[in-house]
Amino acid sequence: MIIRIIAIIVALAGLAIVLYLLFGKNQKPWDQMSEEEQKRKKTIMTGGILVFLAGLLAAIFLGKKKQ
């Protein structure tokens, strides 16, 4: 049970990172970013999505009881 809760918290943290990068007030518009900033933002977005998916899958599969 505790593993499922931790996995859900991790998934929500990943989702929060992605949502902040998409909708945060202090974010520059894409066309005003340098190539380096765009690359960094893509990397962070990808990482946030992967953390979200990993947490979600862990919550689903680690929480199941073996019968």
Side-chain angles (χ1 to χ4, degrees):
M1 180 68 179
I2 192 80
I3 293 174
R4 180 175 269 180
I5 294 170
I6 292 171
I8 292 171
I9 291 170
V10 169
L12 291 175
L15 184 62
I17 290 170
V18 172
L19 291 176
Y20 174 75
L21 288 174
L22 288 175
F23 303 113
K25 291 183 179 182
N26 298 330
Q27 302 298 319
K28 284 178 157 178
W30 188 259
D31 57 348
Q32 293 179 1
M33 290 182 185
S34 67
E35 295 222 4
E36 183 64 33
E37 289 173 323
Q38 289 178 352
K39 183 178 176 183
R40 189 176 328 123
K41 190 166 185 174
K42 285 180 193 176
T43 303
I44 294 171
M45 292 277 293
T46 303
I49 292 169
L50 289 175
V51 167
F52 172 71
L53 291 175
L56 192 62
L57 290 173
I60 292 170
F61 292 116
L62 293 178
K64 290 189 175 186
K65 293 181 181 177
K66 293 183 181 178
Q67 293 181 357

